[in-house]
Amino acid sequence: MTDIKLCYLDEEEQWQYMAHQTLRNDFDLEILEQTRFPRDVSDIWSIIFDMNVDAVIVDYKLNDSGILPYTGNHVVREIRKHNLHLPVFMITSFEQNALQESDEVQIIRGKDMLADPNKFELLKTLIISSVGKYRSKKLRCEEIIHKLVTKIDAGEKLTENEMADKFDAELYISELDLDSGVRAHLINHEVSKKLSNIVEMAESILDKLSK
């Protein structure tokens, strides 16, 4: 078994059972029971967040049985309001519609991937690869931030490239928790800095022209 914690979202019990049988031996699996699905899709993130998962698999036709008023697309959009990079997979038999309507999600074509051992191996590889990249980038950004902040604390000045690397790393980390408001602060600060540089350049040009 891997150390990847996976959330599976599907309102149909038969597919919940199939997912449990297929995924439980390879992943730390959380399956949201039908009774735990919120009526309002805006409440789904708090449930996923509390699970502390590395990836989410969601069925495109969540509303197919008429129990839920929202689709997998709505769930994906809600997740992206809070975390821009958490690996999310849309698994469905209606892949064409899901592909057209969804972004920031990987489309898994055909639910039979959960029933076909050969196809499941492809799905497992995709999940492991995506989570690996997600974790690696997060760790790499944290290391960049730590290294450059340590340099600043030591009284050293960052180069232009280092400042750009620090901003990019901090921006990525902030996009893993959009509720914190750090991303908006970083962007506003960067915009203000660029505007300040433009003003300084304009003043310098005017000063030269006036001489």
Side-chain angles (χ1 to χ4, degrees):
M1 177 184 286
T2 69
D3 65 344
I4 294 172
K5 191 169 186 180
L6 189 63
C7 170
Y8 182 82
L9 303 175
D10 193 319
E11 92 290 7
E12 294 187 55
E13 291 184 356
Q14 69 184 65
W15 285 108
Q16 290 179 2
Y17 175 78
M18 180 64 72
H20 180 262
Q21 293 297 106
T22 306
L23 299 168
R24 64 177 179 174
N25 293 326
D26 295 286
F27 303 100
D28 181 1
L29 185 63
E30 286 271 5
I31 295 179
L32 194 65
E33 296 89 355
Q34 193 179 91
T35 55
R36 291 180 61 202
F37 274 94
R39 293 298 299 168
D40 191 332
V41 71
S42 64
D43 295 324
I44 195 72
W45 172 249
S46 61
I47 295 172
I48 295 171
F49 180 81
D50 289 344
M51 289 179 177
N52 193 29
V53 295
D54 298 296
V56 175
I57 295 180
V58 58
D59 177 41
Y60 170 62
K61 283 282 189 177
L62 274 181
N63 61 344
D64 201 34
S65 63
I67 296 172
L68 298 174
Y70 48 85
T71 68
N73 281 343
H74 294 117
V75 171
V76 173
R77 291 182 188 126
E78 192 60 35
I79 291 172
R80 292 298 175 235
K81 291 178 184 178
H82 305 274
N83 185 322
L84 290 183
H85 304 290
L86 181 72
V88 180
F89 305 88
M90 184 86 74
I91 188 165
T92 179
S93 300
F94 301 87
E95 63 271 10
Q96 198 58 42
N97 289 337
L99 183 61
Q100 291 171 355
E101 296 177 23
S102 298
D103 55 13
E104 295 295 331
V105 62
Q106 298 193 58
I107 303 298
I108 307 301
R109 291 174 169 80
K111 275 187 167 182
D112 60 340
M113 272 195 147
L114 292 175
D116 186 319
N118 293 325
K119 290 183 178 179
F120 171 68
E121 285 302 313
L122 294 175
L123 175 60
K124 183 171 77 171
T125 299
L126 180 60
I127 293 170
I128 292 172
S129 174
S130 297
V131 171
K133 290 176 182 176
Y134 176 71
R135 288 176 172 177
S136 293
K137 185 161 185 179
K138 180 175 182 287
L139 179 61
R140 189 163 64 251
C141 287
E142 289 172 339
E143 289 173 344
I144 289 171
I145 293 168
H146 176 73
K147 175 185 175 182
L148 297 179
V149 167
T150 300
K151 187 174 180 179
I152 292 170
D153 290 343
E156 298 180 54
K157 188 175 180 179
L158 301 184
T159 66
E160 287 292 329
N161 286 339
E162 287 175 331
M163 286 191 289
D165 288 344
K166 181 173 178 290
F167 174 77
D168 289 343
E170 288 176 336
L171 185 64
Y172 181 83
I173 294 298
S174 73
E175 289 173 345
L176 304 182
D177 181 13
L178 293 175
D179 297 326
S180 69
V182 173
R183 181 174 184 267
H185 173 74
L186 283 169
I187 291 173
N188 289 336
H189 178 71
E190 188 69 7
V191 169
S192 297
K193 188 168 69 175
K194 288 180 179 178
L195 287 174
S196 178
N197 290 339
I198 291 171
V199 170
E200 287 180 9
M201 288 175 61
E203 288 176 345
S204 176
I205 291 170
L206 289 173
D207 184 54
K208 289 178 180 178
L209 290 174
S210 64
K211 290 181 180 179

